[in-house]
Coordinates of all heavy atoms in Angstrom, one line a residue:
M1 N 7.5 -14.6 16.2 CA 7.7 -14.8 14.9 C 9.1 -15.4 14.6 O 10.0 -15.2 15.5 CB 7.6 -13.5 14.0 CG 6.2 -12.8 14.0 SD 5.9 -11.4 12.9 CE 7.4 -10.6 12.7
P2 N 9.2 -16.2 13.5 CA 10.5 -16.8 13.2 C 11.5 -15.7 12.9 O 11.2 -14.6 12.5 CB 10.1 -17.5 11.9 CG 8.7 -17.7 11.9 CD 8.1 -16.5 12.5
S3 N 12.7 -16.0 13.3 CA 13.8 -15.2 13.0 C 14.7 -15.6 11.8 O 14.7 -16.8 11.4 CB 14.6 -15.0 14.3 OG 15.1 -16.2 14.7
R4 N 15.5 -14.6 11.3 CA 16.4 -14.9 10.2 C 17.3 -16.0 10.5 O 17.8 -16.0 11.5 CB 17.2 -13.6 9.9 CG 18.0 -13.6 8.7 CD 18.7 -12.4 8.5 NE 19.5 -12.4 7.3 CZ 19.2 -11.9 6.1 NH1 18.1 -11.2 6.0 NH2 20.1 -12.1 5.1
G5 N 17.4 -17.0 9.5 CA 18.2 -18.0 9.6 C 17.7 -19.3 10.1 O 18.2 -20.4 9.9
Q6 N 16.4 -19.2 10.7 CA 15.8 -20.5 11.1 C 15.5 -21.4 9.9 O 15.2 -20.8 8.7 CB 14.5 -20.2 11.8 CG 14.6 -19.8 13.2 CD 13.2 -19.6 13.9 OE1 12.6 -18.6 13.9 NE2 12.8 -20.7 14.5
S7 N 15.4 -22.6 10.2 CA 15.1 -23.6 9.0 C 13.6 -23.7 8.9 O 12.8 -23.4 9.8 CB 15.7 -24.9 9.3 OG 15.0 -25.5 10.4
K8 N 13.1 -24.1 7.6 CA 11.7 -24.5 7.5 C 11.2 -25.4 8.5 O 10.1 -25.2 9.0 CB 11.5 -25.0 6.1 CG 11.5 -23.9 5.0 CD 11.0 -24.4 3.7 CE 10.9 -23.3 2.6 NZ 10.4 -23.9 1.3
A9 N 12.0 -26.4 8.8 CA 11.7 -27.5 9.7 C 11.4 -26.8 11.1 O 10.4 -27.2 11.8 CB 12.7 -28.6 9.8
S10 N 12.2 -26.0 11.5 CA 12.1 -25.4 12.9 C 10.7 -24.4 12.9 O 10.1 -24.5 13.9 CB 13.3 -24.6 13.4 OG 13.6 -23.5 12.6
V11 N 10.5 -23.7 11.8 CA 9.3 -23.0 11.8 C 8.1 -23.8 11.8 O 7.2 -23.5 12.6 CB 9.4 -22.0 10.5 CG1 7.9 -21.3 10.3 CG2 10.5 -21.1 10.5
L12 N 8.1 -24.9 11.1 CA 7.0 -25.8 11.0 C 6.7 -26.5 12.3 O 5.7 -26.6 12.9 CB 7.4 -26.9 10.0 CG 6.2 -27.9 9.8 CD1 5.0 -27.4 9.4 CD2 6.7 -29.0 8.8
E13 N 7.9 -26.8 13.1 CA 7.8 -27.4 14.4 C 7.2 -26.5 15.5 O 6.4 -26.8 16.3 CB 9.2 -27.9 14.9 CG 9.1 -28.6 16.3 CD 10.6 -29.0 16.7 OE1 11.1 -29.6 15.7 OE2 11.0 -28.8 17.7
R14 N 7.6 -25.2 15.3 CA 7.1 -24.3 16.4 C 5.8 -23.6 16.1 O 4.9 -23.4 17.0 CB 8.1 -23.1 16.4 CG 7.7 -22.0 17.5 CD 8.9 -21.1 17.9 NE 8.4 -20.1 18.9 CZ 8.8 -19.0 19.1 NH1 9.8 -18.6 18.4 NH2 8.4 -18.1 20.0
F15 N 5.5 -23.2 14.8 CA 4.3 -22.6 14.4 C 3.3 -23.5 13.7 O 2.0 -22.9 13.5 CB 4.6 -21.4 13.5 CG 5.4 -20.3 14.2 CD1 6.8 -20.3 14.1 CD2 4.9 -19.4 15.1 CE1 7.6 -19.4 14.7 CE2 5.6 -18.5 15.8 CZ 7.1 -18.5 15.6
G16 N 3.6 -24.7 13.3 CA 2.6 -25.5 12.6 C 2.5 -25.3 11.2 O 3.2 -24.5 10.6
L17 N 1.6 -25.9 10.6 CA 1.3 -25.7 9.2 C 0.9 -24.3 9.0 O 0.1 -23.8 9.6 CB 0.3 -26.7 8.6 CG 0.7 -28.2 8.6 CD1 -0.5 -29.0 8.2 CD2 1.9 -28.3 7.7
A18 N 1.3 -23.7 7.8 CA 0.9 -22.4 7.4 C -0.5 -22.4 6.8 O -1.0 -23.5 6.3 CB 1.9 -21.8 6.3
D19 N -1.3 -21.2 6.9 CA -2.6 -21.2 6.3 C -2.4 -21.3 4.8 O -3.3 -21.9 4.1 CB -3.2 -20.0 6.7 CG -3.5 -19.9 8.2 OD1 -3.8 -20.9 8.8 OD2 -3.3 -18.7 8.7
Q20 N -1.4 -20.8 4.3 CA -1.1 -20.9 2.8 C 0.3 -20.9 2.5 O 1.1 -20.1 3.1 CB -1.7 -19.7 2.0 CG -1.7 -19.7 0.6 CD -2.5 -18.6 -0.1 OE1 -3.0 -17.7 0.4 NE2 -2.6 -18.7 -1.4
E21 N 0.8 -21.7 1.5 CA 2.3 -21.8 1.2 C 2.3 -21.4 -0.3 O 1.6 -21.9 -1.1 CB 2.7 -23.2 1.3 CG 2.8 -23.6 2.8 CD 3.5 -25.0 2.9 OE1 4.3 -25.4 2.0 OE2 3.3 -25.6 4.0
H22 N 3.2 -20.5 -0.6 CA 3.3 -20.0 -2.0 C 4.7 -20.6 -2.5 O 5.6 -20.7 -1.8 CB 3.5 -18.4 -2.0 CG 2.4 -17.8 -1.5 ND1 1.2 -17.4 -2.2 CD2 1.9 -17.4 -0.2 CE1 0.3 -16.8 -1.5 NE2 0.7 -16.8 -0.2
P23 N 4.6 -21.1 -3.8 CA 5.7 -21.8 -4.3 C 6.9 -21.0 -4.5 O 6.8 -19.7 -4.7 CB 5.3 -22.4 -5.6 CG 4.0 -21.5 -6.0 CD 3.5 -21.1 -4.6
A24 N 8.1 -21.5 -4.5 CA 9.3 -20.7 -4.7 C 9.4 -20.1 -6.2 O 8.9 -20.8 -7.1 CB 10.5 -21.6 -4.4
V25 N 10.0 -19.0 -6.3 CA 10.1 -18.3 -7.6 C 11.5 -17.7 -7.6 O 12.0 -17.3 -6.6 CB 9.0 -17.3 -7.8 CG1 7.6 -17.8 -8.1 CG2 9.0 -16.2 -6.8
G26 N 12.0 -17.5 -8.8 CA 13.3 -16.9 -9.0 C 14.6 -17.6 -8.6 O 14.4 -18.9 -8.2
K27 N 15.7 -17.0 -8.8 CA 17.1 -17.5 -8.4 C 17.8 -16.5 -7.7 O 18.0 -15.5 -8.2 CB 17.8 -17.9 -9.6 CG 17.1 -19.1 -10.4 CD 18.0 -19.5 -11.5 CE 17.3 -20.7 -12.2 NZ 18.1 -21.3 -13.2
P28 N 18.0 -16.8 -6.3 CA 17.7 -17.9 -5.6 C 16.3 -18.2 -5.3 O 15.5 -17.1 -5.4 CB 18.5 -17.7 -4.3 CG 18.5 -16.2 -4.2 CD 18.6 -15.8 -5.5
P29 N 15.8 -19.3 -5.1 CA 14.3 -19.6 -4.9 C 13.8 -18.9 -3.6 O 14.3 -19.1 -2.5 CB 14.2 -21.1 -4.8 CG 15.6 -21.5 -4.4 CD 16.5 -20.5 -5.0
I30 N 12.8 -18.1 -3.8 CA 12.1 -17.4 -2.6 C 10.7 -17.9 -2.5 O 10.0 -17.8 -3.5 CB 12.2 -15.8 -2.8 CG1 13.6 -15.4 -3.1 CG2 11.5 -15.2 -1.5 CD1 14.6 -15.5 -1.9
S31 N 10.3 -18.4 -1.4 CA 9.0 -18.9 -1.1 C 8.4 -18.1 0.1 O 9.1 -17.5 0.8 CB 9.0 -20.3 -0.9 OG 9.7 -20.8 0.2
R32 N 7.2 -18.2 0.3 CA 6.4 -17.6 1.3 C 5.3 -18.4 2.0 O 4.7 -19.1 1.4 CB 5.8 -16.3 0.9 CG 5.1 -15.5 1.9 CD 4.6 -14.2 1.4 NE 3.1 -14.4 1.0 CZ 2.5 -13.9 0.0 NH1 3.1 -13.0 -0.8 NH2 1.3 -14.1 -0.3
W33 N 5.3 -18.4 3.3 CA 4.3 -19.1 4.1 C 3.5 -18.0 4.9 O 4.1 -17.2 5.5 CB 4.9 -20.1 5.2 CG 5.6 -21.2 4.6 CD1 5.8 -21.7 3.3 CD2 6.2 -22.3 5.4 NE1 6.4 -22.9 3.2 CE2 6.7 -23.3 4.4 CE3 6.4 -22.5 6.7 CZ2 7.3 -24.4 4.9 CZ3 7.0 -23.6 7.2 CH2 7.5 -24.6 6.3
D34 N 2.2 -18.1 4.6 CA 1.3 -17.2 5.3 C 0.7 -17.8 6.4 O 0.0 -18.8 6.4 CB 0.2 -16.6 4.3 CG 0.8 -15.8 3.3 OD1 1.9 -15.2 3.4 OD2 0.2 -15.8 2.2
Y35 N 0.8 -17.2 7.6 CA 0.1 -17.6 8.9 C -1.0 -16.5 9.0 O -1.0 -15.5 8.4 CB 1.0 -17.7 10.1 CG 1.8 -18.8 9.9 CD1 3.1 -18.7 9.3 CD2 1.6 -20.1 10.5 CE1 4.0 -19.8 9.1 CE2 2.4 -21.2 10.4 CZ 3.6 -21.0 9.8 OH 4.4 -22.1 9.7
R36 N -1.8 -16.6 10.1 CA -2.9 -15.7 10.4 C -2.4 -14.3 10.6 O -3.0 -13.3 10.1 CB -3.7 -16.1 11.5 CG -4.9 -15.4 11.8 CD -5.9 -16.0 12.9 NE -6.9 -15.2 13.2 CZ -7.2 -14.6 14.4 NH1 -6.4 -14.9 15.4 NH2 -8.1 -13.8 14.7
T37 N -1.4 -14.1 11.4 CA -1.0 -12.8 11.8 C 0.5 -12.3 11.2 O 0.9 -11.2 11.4 CB -0.9 -12.6 13.3 OG1 0.0 -13.6 13.8 CG2 -2.3 -12.8 13.9
F38 N 1.1 -13.3 10.4 CA 2.3 -12.8 9.9 C 2.7 -13.8 8.7 O 2.0 -14.8 8.5 CB 3.5 -13.0 10.9 CG 3.6 -14.4 11.4 CD1 4.6 -15.2 10.9 CD2 2.9 -14.9 12.6 CE1 4.8 -16.6 11.4 CE2 3.1 -16.1 13.2 CZ 4.1 -17.0 12.4
S39 N 3.7 -13.4 8.0 CA 4.2 -14.1 6.8 C 5.7 -14.3 6.9 O 6.4 -13.5 7.5 CB 3.9 -13.3 5.4 OG 2.6 -13.4 5.2
V40 N 6.1 -15.6 6.5 CA 7.6 -15.9 6.6 C 8.1 -16.0 5.2 O 7.5 -16.7 4.3 CB 7.7 -17.1 7.4 CG1 9.2 -17.4 7.6 CG2 7.0 -17.1 8.7
Y41 N 9.1 -15.3 4.8 CA 9.8 -15.5 3.5 C 11.1 -16.4 3.7 O 11.9 -16.2 4.7 CB 10.3 -14.1 3.0 CG 9.0 -13.3 2.7 CD1 8.4 -12.6 3.6 CD2 8.5 -13.2 1.3 CE1 7.2 -11.7 3.3 CE2 7.5 -12.5 1.1 CZ 6.8 -11.7 2.0 OH 5.7 -10.9 1.7
F42 N 11.1 -17.4 2.7 CA 12.4 -18.2 2.7 C 13.2 -18.1 1.6 O 12.7 -18.0 0.5 CB 11.9 -19.8 2.8 CG 11.2 -20.0 4.0 CD1 9.7 -19.9 4.1 CD2 11.8 -20.5 5.3 CE1 9.0 -20.3 5.2 CE2 11.1 -20.9 6.4 CZ 9.7 -20.7 6.3
E43 N 14.6 -18.2 1.7 CA 15.5 -18.4 0.7 C 15.9 -19.9 0.8 O 16.6 -20.1 1.7 CB 16.6 -17.4 0.7 CG 17.6 -17.6 -0.5 CD 18.7 -16.6 -0.5 OE1 18.5 -15.4 -0.3 OE2 19.9 -17.2 -0.6
D44 N 15.5 -20.7 -0.2 CA 15.7 -22.0 -0.2 C 15.1 -22.6 1.1 O 13.9 -22.6 1.3 CB 17.2 -22.4 -0.3 CG 17.4 -23.8 -0.6 OD1 16.6 -24.5 -1.3 OD2 18.5 -24.3 -0.2
K45 N 15.8 -23.0 2.0 CA 15.3 -23.7 3.3 C 15.4 -22.9 4.6 O 15.2 -23.4 5.6 CB 15.9 -25.0 3.5 CG 15.5 -26.0 2.3 CD 16.3 -27.4 2.6 CE 16.0 -28.3 1.4 NZ 16.6 -29.5 1.6
H46 N 15.8 -21.6 4.5 CA 16.0 -20.7 5.7 C 15.3 -19.4 5.6 O 15.1 -18.8 4.5 CB 17.5 -20.5 5.8 CG 18.3 -21.7 6.0 ND1 18.8 -22.5 5.1 CD2 18.6 -22.4 7.2 CE1 19.3 -23.6 5.7 NE2 19.2 -23.5 6.9
V47 N 14.8 -19.0 6.7 CA 14.1 -17.7 6.9 C 15.0 -16.5 6.5 O 16.1 -16.4 6.9 CB 13.6 -17.6 8.3 CG1 12.9 -16.2 8.4 CG2 12.6 -18.7 8.6
I48 N 14.5 -15.6 5.7 CA 15.2 -14.4 5.5 C 14.5 -13.3 5.9 O 15.1 -12.1 6.2 CB 15.4 -14.2 3.8 CG1 14.2 -14.3 3.0 CG2 16.5 -15.3 3.4 CD1 14.3 -13.9 1.6
N49 N 13.2 -13.3 6.1 CA 12.4 -12.2 6.8 C 11.0 -12.7 7.3 O 10.5 -13.7 6.7 CB 12.2 -11.1 5.8 CG 11.9 -9.8 6.3 OD1 11.9 -9.6 7.5 ND2 11.6 -8.8 5.5
S50 N 10.6 -12.2 8.4 CA 9.2 -12.3 8.8 C 8.5 -11.0 8.9 O 9.1 -10.0 9.4 CB 9.3 -13.0 10.2 OG 9.7 -14.4 10.2
V51 N 7.1 -10.9 8.5 CA 6.5 -9.7 8.5 C 5.1 -9.9 9.2 O 4.4 -10.7 8.7 CB 6.4 -9.2 7.0 CG1 5.6 -7.9 6.9 CG2 7.6 -9.2 6.3
R52 N 4.9 -9.0 10.1 CA 3.6 -9.0 10.8 C 2.6 -8.4 10.0 O 2.8 -7.3 9.4 CB 3.6 -8.3 12.2 CG 2.5 -8.4 13.0 CD 2.7 -7.8 14.4 NE 3.8 -8.4 15.1 CZ 3.9 -9.6 15.8 NH1 2.9 -10.4 15.8 NH2 4.9 -10.0 16.3
H53 N 1.4 -8.9 9.8 CA 0.4 -8.3 9.0 C -0.2 -7.2 9.7 O -0.3 -7.1 10.9 CB -0.8 -9.4 8.8 CG -0.4 -10.5 8.0 ND1 -1.1 -11.7 7.9 CD2 0.8 -10.8 7.2 CE1 -0.5 -12.6 7.1 NE2 0.7 -12.1 6.9
H54 N -0.6 -6.2 8.8 CA -1.2 -5.0 9.5 C -2.6 -5.2 10.0 O -3.3 -6.0 9.3 CB -1.5 -3.9 8.2 CG -2.2 -2.7 8.7 ND1 -1.6 -1.8 9.5 CD2 -3.5 -2.3 8.5 CE1 -2.5 -0.8 9.7 NE2 -3.7 -1.1 9.0
Q55 N -2.8 -4.9 11.2 CA -4.0 -5.1 11.8 C -4.8 -3.8 11.8 O -4.5 -2.7 12.5 CB -3.8 -5.5 13.4 CG -3.1 -6.9 13.5 CD -3.8 -7.9 12.9 OE1 -5.0 -8.1 13.1 NE2 -3.0 -8.8 12.3
R56 N -6.0 -3.8 11.1 CA -6.8 -2.7 10.9 C -7.5 -2.4 12.3 O -8.1 -3.2 12.9 CB -7.8 -2.9 9.9 CG -8.8 -1.7 9.7 CD -9.8 -1.9 8.6 NE -9.2 -1.7 7.4 CZ -9.9 -1.6 6.3 NH1 -11.1 -1.8 6.3 NH2 -9.3 -1.4 5.2
S57 N -7.4 -1.1 12.7 CA -8.0 -0.7 13.9 C -9.4 -0.2 13.6 O -9.7 0.3 12.5 CB -7.3 0.4 14.6 OG -7.2 1.5 13.9
S58 N -10.3 -0.3 14.5 CA -11.8 -0.1 14.2 C -11.7 1.5 14.2 O -11.2 2.1 14.9 CB -12.7 -0.7 15.3 OG -12.4 -0.2 16.5
P59 N -12.7 2.0 13.3 CA -12.7 3.6 13.3 C -13.4 4.0 14.6 O -14.2 3.3 15.3 CB -13.8 3.8 12.2 CG -14.4 2.5 11.9 CD -13.4 1.4 12.4
P60 N -13.0 5.2 15.0 CA -13.6 5.8 16.2 C -15.1 5.9 16.1 O -15.7 6.2 15.1 CB -13.0 7.1 16.4 CG -12.3 7.4 15.1 CD -12.2 6.2 14.4
Q61 N -15.8 5.6 17.3 CA -17.3 5.7 17.4 C -17.5 7.3 17.3 O -17.0 8.1 18.1 CB -17.8 5.1 18.6 CG -17.5 3.6 18.7 CD -18.6 2.9 18.2 OE1 -19.7 3.4 18.0 NE2 -18.4 1.7 18.0
Q62 N -18.5 7.6 16.4 CA -18.9 8.9 16.3 C -20.2 9.0 17.0 O -21.1 8.2 17.0 CB -19.0 9.4 14.9 CG -17.8 9.5 14.1 CD -18.0 10.0 12.8 OE1 -19.1 10.3 12.3 NE2 -17.0 10.0 11.9
E63 N -20.3 10.2 17.8 CA -21.6 10.3 18.6 C -22.7 10.8 17.7 O -22.5 11.6 16.8 CB -21.4 11.4 19.7 CG -20.4 11.0 20.8 CD -20.3 12.0 21.9 OE1 -21.2 12.8 22.0 OE2 -19.1 12.1 22.5
V64 N -23.8 10.2 17.9 CA -25.0 10.6 17.1 C -25.7 11.8 17.9 O -26.1 11.6 19.0 CB -26.0 9.4 17.0 CG1 -27.2 9.8 16.2 CG2 -25.2 8.3 16.3
Q65 N -25.9 12.8 17.1 CA -26.6 14.0 17.7 C -28.1 13.9 17.4 O -28.4 13.7 16.2 CB -26.0 15.3 17.2 CG -24.6 15.5 17.7 CD -23.9 16.9 17.2 OE1 -24.7 17.6 16.7 NE2 -22.8 17.0 17.6
Q66 N -29.0 14.2 18.3 CA -30.4 14.2 18.1 C -31.0 15.5 18.0 O -30.6 16.5 18.5 CB -31.1 13.4 19.1 CG -30.7 11.9 19.1 CD -31.3 11.2 20.2 OE1 -32.2 11.6 20.9 NE2 -31.0 9.9 20.3

């Protein structure tokens, strides 16, 4: 995952195009790029945080009694 301080250009070069890009909001401008397994938050043109998406585990198999 991208680390704090990386530029948008370096994230794009290493991870490719995001699945979805959210426009910047607020002051300072904060934007988000969503990838399949993680999201990257940017302040202007630099990473401020990366978050791994929760991966749902499959429920345990219950034995069927006859």
Side-chain angles (χ1 to χ4, degrees):
M1 290 194 331
S3 58
R4 185 180 179 100
Q6 278 188 273
S7 68
K8 280 186 174 182
S10 67
V11 173
L12 182 59
E13 184 178 313
R14 180 165 180 205
F15 298 98
L17 292 173
D19 297 324
Q20 185 173 9
E21 293 185 23
H22 300 270
V25 294
K27 290 187 182 185
I30 306 294
S31 59
R32 183 177 92 215
W33 289 2
D34 292 333
Y35 289 88
R36 185 170 177 244
T37 59
F38 63 92
S39 294
V40 184
Y41 293 83
F42 297 92
E43 181 178 311
D44 195 25
K45 296 179 182 178
H46 293 92
V47 174
I48 55 172
N49 203 4
S50 295
V51 179
R52 187 171 309 279
H53 297 167
H54 174 75
Q55 299 297 318
R56 178 180 281 191
S57 60
S58 57
Q61 296 269 346
Q62 294 184 5
E63 293 182 27
V64 177
Q65 296 182 6
Q66 295 181 2

